Amino acid sequence: MNTRVLDSPAAPSGTQVRLDTEILVVGAGFAGLAMAISLERAGMGSFVVIERAADLGGTWRENRYPGCACDIPSVLYSFSFARNPKWTRSYPLQQEIWDYLRFVADKFNVRRHIRFDAEMVETRWDEADMTWHTQLADGSTIVSRFIVAGFGPLSNPDVPRIAGLETFKGECWHSAQWRSDVDLRGKRVAVIGTGASAVQLVPRIAPEVAKLYVFQRTPGWILPKPDYPISPVQKWLRNFKPIAWLERQATYWMIESRAYGFTVNPNALKLAEGIARKHRDRQLQSAELRAKMTPTYRLGCKRIIPSNDYYPAFNLPQVELVTEGIAEIREHSIVDERGTEREVDVIILGTGFRTTDGLTPLKVYGAGGRELNDAWRDGMAAFYGVSIAGFPNFFLLLGPNTALGHNSVVLMIEAQVRHLMRVFKLLRATGARAVGVREDVQDAFNARLQRKMRGTVWSTGCKSWYLDKNGKNTTLWPEFTFDYFRKVERVRPENYTLIGAPATSAVRAAGPRGNG
Ligand SMILES: Cc1cc2nc3c(=O)[nH]c(=O)nc-3n(C[C@H](O)[C@H](O)[C@H](O)COP(=O)(O)OP(=O)(O)OC[C@H]3O[C@@H](n4cnc5c(N)ncnc54)[C@H](O)[C@@H]3O)c2cc1C
């Protein structure tokens, strides 16, 4: 990439700095693409998207295990500005979502901004010229004024530490790194974990394997999935914008109403527990299995899993649920804590993702050389999941506490992108060259957020991937999503330090405010 001298659209006119690009967007999943499209539509063409893989799509490019699908209806799990009247199912499979993202990238002409096989490994804030110097895995560097990072909250597979795992002589892979070259027919297979991915893949592989052992630590709450093919009439109706809009609104409010139980009154979720129990009783023949597969924590505390075919897989003679913990893995077998040894040819790790490790192994050095993972030693924290005190001009999409346990994160991504476009506008209006959230504002925001978290279902005592090693929920938004949209709708200058702006001191004098 050639370094050019660019006019900074965010800086006072005439300000010139040596930059490769004005804005560096990281990741080409839903988040990075949303940012790229917004910049393109606003005519802010000086941006580059770097993507460590060879194609766009993020989650939906990586996760190709059999049965992989979203668990939010596609009318909501898609961009509001790019509806897809072609969805074939209410909950489409991975391939269709991946195709949708490629279609969107082409429709808005942003593919030409994406640099594939470009992995960010380190970035450093240069305080003198107020630029970010980003180092890629291939040794090259990109200098930019801003970084907008859509790394993905579920993009780094979590490989468990199990004694002997590395000694296993058969095939072993994580659900997010599916091996389609291995034929599972007639094989003895172990699936470790019973989270969302395992629940989707177990019914697909169960009929073809010789033996399937499903190792369960904690059962999930499983609800019926209202998944059905979209009829030709429904598809045709979706071509009419007002009808498509109404369907999206109705779906949003139906799903959002669940947030009352999640964030305000967890006892309200007892009703859904009744539905889940009935679903289990209808689908599971064995009383022993019903007992073993019934959670003892409140529904919603861990992610709810919608599925119509998970329980029935356990009625097959070749499928066995193992609830004893794993003591050890040997060259050709798994030994449980009771000493029972089961011979297996393949191990599939359905063990989820590293969600609370911050950005490790990536290094982000902000003002004063402070490293972000260091700043997050006691838990990830940001301001509305987007800005981080001490890291000017560095923004996250779906950062701390902005993932959801009940609705589509695409809604959050769009709100964050709109918010960032307002931040850029603020910079232009004030003539500032850099912006960073004030530390006291961020601290007050997170103290409020964690107080709010105490009353949510996620704090009712279960162990989940929403919580970090200290038991703190640093992943989810603890209120209604419309509260979030409203709060980030405005960018309040008094919450930020505007560097290089003539009015900086006046702005800083105002007290912190509740909203973005
Ligand atoms: C199996 C599965 C099912 C899911 N189902 C749902 C659902 O139904 N509803 C829902 O709301 N959410 C769901 N999610 C969560 C899902 O991750 C988000 O909905 C959404 O895809 C996040 O988009 P993103 O762009 O933030 O992240 P991703 O889609 O993960 O994209 C991040 C991109 O950044 C790239 N990247 C990461 N680090 C670097 C780096 N250092 N340098 C360069 N590039 C980098 C990655 O390669 C990736 O392409 C699901 C997740 C999984 C794994």
Side-chain angles (χ1 to χ4, degrees):
M1 186 174 296
N2 296 326
T3 300
R4 290 176 293 150
V5 177
L6 294 173
D7 271 332
S8 168
S13 68
T15 303
Q16 295 197 320
V17 283
R18 294 206 69 82
L19 296 172
D20 294 308
T21 184
E22 178 70 17
I23 302 167
L24 180 66
V25 179
V26 189
F30 264 106
L33 289 174
M35 190 71 237
I37 291 167
S38 204
L39 292 170
E40 180 73 9
R41 286 171 115 188
M44 292 167 69
S46 175
F47 68 93
V48 169
V49 183
I50 52 166
E51 167 54 59
R52 69 181 171 193
D55 199 350
L56 58 84
T59 291
W60 306 101
R61 176 201 63 235
E62 292 297 291
N63 291 267
R64 300 185 203 182
Y65 58 81
C68 179
C70 61
D71 57 17
I72 294 288
S74 54
V75 281
L76 267 194
Y77 196 65
S78 47
F79 291 124
S80 60
F81 54 83
R83 296 198 191 118
N84 180 10
K86 292 186 192 152
W87 293 121
T88 62
R89 304 194 66 81
S90 50
Y91 292 83
L93 292 170
Q94 165 265 339
Q95 181 70 48
E96 213 173 315
I97 306 172
W98 190 16
D99 288 346
Y100 167 75
L101 288 172
R102 289 194 283 208
F103 154 76
V104 168
D106 291 334
K107 178 172 174 177
F108 292 94
N109 200 17
V110 292
R111 207 184 267 266
R112 66 202 163 94
H113 293 281
I114 308 176
R115 213 174 124 183
F116 292 109
D117 297 312
E119 178 173 8
M120 173 194 221
V121 289
E122 181 184 307
T123 189
R124 207 173 269 277
W125 175 243
D126 182 321
E127 307 202 30
D129 65 5
M130 288 188 227
T131 50
W132 282 98
H133 294 243
T134 299
Q135 200 189 314
L136 305 188
D138 66 5
S140 61
T141 302
I142 298 177
V143 181
S144 64
R145 172 74 69 208
F146 302 96
I147 291 181
V148 180
F151 296 118
L154 303 182
S155 63
N156 294 315
D158 188 7
V159 175
R161 282 199 206 110
I162 303 174
L165 180 60
E166 67 292 344
T167 65
F168 184 62
K169 288 271 194 296
E171 302 287 359
C172 174
W173 66 81
H174 189 277
S175 60
Q177 294 154 342
W178 195 259
R179 291 275 307 276
S180 47
D181 58 319
V182 180
D183 188 355
L184 292 178
R185 276 176 299 181
K187 297 244 166 53
R188 295 164 300 177
V189 179
V191 172
I192 299 179
T194 52
S197 298
V199 166
Q200 290 182 341
L201 73 89
V202 160
R204 297 301 174 106
I205 62 170
E208 63 185 40
V209 299
K211 187 77 200 172
L212 180 60
Y213 300 107
V214 180
F215 286 83
Q216 169 191 285
R217 194 167 54 183
T218 320
W221 280 104
I222 308 229
L223 280 169
K225 188 172 187 177
D227 184 24
Y228 55 87
I230 306 295
S231 71
V233 174
Q234 207 178 345
K235 259 191 216 167
W236 177 73
L237 284 170
R238 282 179 173 177
N239 285 312
F240 299 99
K241 274 192 186 155
I243 292 178
W245 181 84
L246 264 179
E247 187 188 14
R248 192 173 156 102
Q249 289 297 316
T251 312
Y252 170 76
W253 288 106
M254 201 177 65
I255 292 181
E256 189 58 23
S257 64
R258 299 192 298 182
Y260 172 73
F262 283 78
T263 64
V264 180
N265 178 12
N267 282 333
L269 294 161
K270 281 184 186 161
L271 187 68
E273 286 178 10
I275 297 170
R277 283 202 186 90
K278 280 211 178 87
H279 183 52
R280 172 206 62 188
D281 293 346
R282 266 197 308 271
Q283 295 201 312
L284 264 182
Q285 286 157 6
S286 145
E288 191 192 338
L289 278 179
R290 280 187 220 146
K292 284 182 171 173
M293 296 176 86
T294 303
T296 50
Y297 55 86
R298 174 60 23 95
L299 177 141
C301 187
K302 288 160 86 80
R303 194 170 176 91
I304 299 172
I305 310 173
S307 173
N308 300 330
D309 51 9
Y310 181 63
Y311 286 141
F314 290 85
N315 297 328
L316 296 172
Q318 69 271 34
V319 181
E320 183 181 328
L321 180 78
V322 184
T323 52
E324 286 77 33
I326 297 174
E328 179 194 358
I329 293 180
R330 295 187 182 152
E331 288 188 358
H332 300 285
S333 62
I334 301 183
V335 184
D336 73 25
E337 281 168 349
R338 284 201 176 167
T340 308
E341 182 169 7
R342 294 174 178 86
E343 298 218 330
V344 292
D345 307 304
V346 176
I347 297 177
I348 297 166
L349 303 171
T351 42
F353 299 86
R354 288 192 281 114
T355 51
T356 55
D357 288 4
L359 299 181
T360 34
L362 194 84
K363 297 264 185 237
V364 178
Y365 296 95
R370 192 176 183 203
E371 208 279 302
L372 184 52
N373 293 303
D374 235 26
W376 280 354
R377 247 193 340 264
D378 298 327
M380 303 188 297
F383 186 53
Y384 289 104
V386 177
S387 311
I388 309 160
F391 295 81
N393 287 2
F394 180 89
F395 306 107
L396 294 171
L397 296 171
L398 287 188
N401 290 107
T402 56
L404 297 175
H406 71 288
N407 211 329
S408 168
V409 296
V410 180
L411 303 167
M412 300 297 272
I413 290 171
E414 282 194 40
Q416 293 177 340
V417 167
R418 286 195 300 273
H419 176 78
L420 277 180
M421 294 307 280
R422 285 187 201 104
V423 170
F424 293 139
K425 202 165 155 193
L426 172 73
L427 282 167
R428 256 201 228 143
T430 56
R433 294 177 68 200
V435 59
V437 64
R438 287 169 46 185
E439 191 143 9
D440 59 333
V441 171
Q442 179 176 303
D443 289 348
F445 168 81
N446 280 290
R448 259 196 324 272
L449 185 144
Q450 290 301 334
R451 272 199 302 277
K452 176 78 197 153
M453 195 64 83
R454 280 186 221 139
T456 67
V457 71
W458 308 299
S459 305
T460 52
C462 70
K463 202 167 163 241
S464 75
W465 59 259
Y466 301 145
L467 310 180
D468 69 13
K469 59 180 190 309
N470 303 316
K472 190 165 151 191
N473 190 325
T474 55
T475 54
L476 296 182
W477 175 247
E479 295 180 13
F480 288 94
T481 54
F482 52 78
D483 279 325
Y484 183 84
F485 306 152
R486 186 177 50 78
K487 288 174 176 170
V488 297
E489 195 60 34
R490 282 190 62 194
V491 175
R492 293 181 181 275
E494 60 270 29
N495 287 337
Y496 299 88
T497 303
L498 291 156
I499 307 165
T504 300
S505 52
V507 164
R508 291 200 61 181
R513 302 290 289 262
N515 294 354

